[in-house]
Amino acid sequence: MSRTRLKTGTLQQAIESQTREALACGALRPIETECTFVDDGGVRFVVRSVSSLKRKAQYKRARQWRPDSSVNPFSPYETALFVADISDTHVGLLNKFNVIDRHLLIVTRRFEEQETLLTWSDLQALWLCMAEFDALGFYNGGTVAGASQRHKHLQMVPLPLTPEGPPIPIEALIAQTRIADNISTLPGFSFVHACARLDPALYARPDEAATATLERYYALLQAVGLSASRRDGQLWQSAPYNLLIARGWMLLVPRSEELFDAVSINALGFAGSLFVRNKEQMRAVRLAGPMRVLQQVAVSKAGSAHLGAPANASKT
């Protein structure tokens, strides 16, 4: 067991308290949005758009804030964004430019590359947080998958993602899928992906949940044809991908492009939640349909040509 471990029952209050402080001092810069719903392929997608000229200017500043490759905003991190010590290996930080309230970053204490494979310690830190309240965990494996920083970090947003329909929009498809103990695919996702069930009761036992999730994570990588190579003592992914982790299931999608018509897509897009900056981008998403948007940035079934299976998982 970790010497440092998030105290049970404290995370939600810590997030709310730190959010108030970070807003007051200007460290937290939320991007105010309006929600539009677009039905496509049996899913009610939520598309968030910047809601006012003032917030558009704020979003523009946020985009310009991107540090160059030599700057790491997580080391050192802004003290005003610090939420909690999660474990010996990870800390919890507020997302500086959040679109969704209580958006938590789960960041490695020591620098690790975002394109290295997830470890047991990464997943344990995630489950220590997801045991606190119902949430969706996700990971953007590389720039093409929507990652904005090289320093390894998982993310977590509270549920529901939308006030209408299932807490996570794509659960409408998961409910139609007989995954059982096997890995399967979702109806309507006409691109390379893989989905697996998790025991929904495991969230209350983070160490066990991490072990089970790591096993399924490697199985999902193998199912979609992603491999790993060892460099500098770490396992590196062979291609970018997005990962979603909920209390009862997990989904992995390899990526081919970061953008659809200038719209950046990260893991939340495959959960049924998209973000656009202006009316033109909203029009493009509506015209194409969210399912086609996802199809365009994922790996096509015809174009999948990754090598081999990843190395065996280990508890690191």
Side-chain angles (χ1 to χ4, degrees):
M1 183 178 292
S2 300
R3 295 185 301 275
T4 300
R5 193 180 180 102
L6 181 68
K7 186 177 179 180
T8 302
T10 63
L11 182 61
Q12 187 164 344
Q13 182 178 351
I15 291 174
E16 292 171 356
S17 174
Q18 198 59 41
T19 295
R20 290 192 295 270
E21 291 186 24
L23 285 171
C25 72
L28 187 64
R29 304 180 189 178
I31 300 168
E32 187 176 325
T33 61
E34 296 173 344
C35 292
T36 299
F37 297 95
V38 181
D39 294 309
D40 191 18
V43 175
R44 168 150 281 200
F45 286 84
V46 58
V47 186
R48 292 177 170 86
S49 58
V50 180
S51 64
S52 69
L53 290 175
K54 179 180 179 182
R55 292 298 182 176
K56 285 181 182 178
Q58 186 180 51
Y59 178 71
K60 184 177 180 180
R61 290 195 299 271
R63 295 289 289 183
Q64 292 172 341
W65 183 81
R66 297 284 182 95
D68 62 41
S69 59
S70 65
V71 176
N72 182 354
F74 299 147
S75 182
Y77 52 76
E78 288 186 64
T79 304
L81 299 178
F82 173 80
V83 173
D85 287 305
I86 297 170
S87 67
D88 289 344
T89 54
H90 292 74
V91 297
L93 307 176
L94 296 176
N95 182 9
K96 186 177 186 70
F97 300 107
N98 62 306
V99 172
I100 299 174
D101 290 339
R102 292 189 286 153
H103 184 162
L104 186 69
L105 306 180
I106 301 166
V107 182
T108 58
R109 292 179 183 272
R110 299 177 61 181
F111 178 80
E112 296 180 31
E113 291 281 358
Q114 187 77 358
E115 294 185 5
T116 56
L117 295 192
L118 294 175
T119 66
W120 185 89
S121 295
D122 293 324
L123 294 169
Q124 182 217 28
L126 176 65
W127 283 110
L128 284 168
C129 295
M130 288 182 61
E132 293 287 287
F133 54 85
D134 200 9
L136 176 66
F138 64 98
Y139 189 71
N140 301 318
T143 303
V144 172
S148 61
Q149 306 297 337
R150 287 176 53 194
H151 190 136
K152 184 188 273 187
H153 60 287
L154 296 94
Q155 303 183 58
M156 188 179 91
V157 289
L159 296 178
L161 289 181
T162 168
E164 299 183 14
I168 305 170
I170 65 157
E171 287 186 323
L173 301 182
I174 291 174
Q176 302 172 27
T177 306
R178 294 190 62 186
I179 301 175
D181 291 330
N182 299 316
I183 292 171
S184 188
T185 57
L186 304 184
F189 273 19
S190 57
F191 44 81
V192 177
H193 69 284
C195 187
R197 292 284 187 195
L198 295 171
D199 180 350
L202 271 180
Y203 78 88
R205 305 190 298 278
D207 291 0
E208 292 180 44
T211 299
T213 306
L214 186 66
E215 180 182 337
R216 292 299 176 92
Y217 167 65
Y218 272 80
L220 291 174
L221 288 170
Q222 184 171 5
V224 301
L226 291 178
S227 61
S229 60
R230 186 173 292 276
R231 303 200 314 267
D232 303 322
Q234 294 183 304
L235 289 174
W236 292 69
Q237 65 196 41
S238 61
Y241 67 93
N242 291 123
L243 179 69
L244 296 170
I245 301 178
R247 285 184 173 179
W249 53 268
M250 54 194 299
L251 173 73
L252 192 145
V253 184
R255 292 291 297 273
S256 61
E257 304 286 343
E258 178 192 357
L259 304 173
F260 171 84
D261 197 12
V263 179
S264 181
I265 308 296
N266 67 10
L268 290 181
F270 296 95
S273 176
L274 300 169
F275 173 69
V276 297
R277 293 179 291 168
N278 51 48
K279 292 180 180 179
E280 290 72 24
Q281 290 186 354
M282 177 67 80
R283 189 177 302 115
V285 169
R286 280 185 172 277
L287 183 62
M291 282 295 187
R292 182 165 172 260
V293 170
L294 299 182
Q295 183 178 359
Q296 289 294 313
V297 300
V299 173
S300 69
K301 293 181 178 178
S304 177
H306 300 297
L307 298 175
N312 291 331
S314 62
K315 184 173 175 177
T316 58

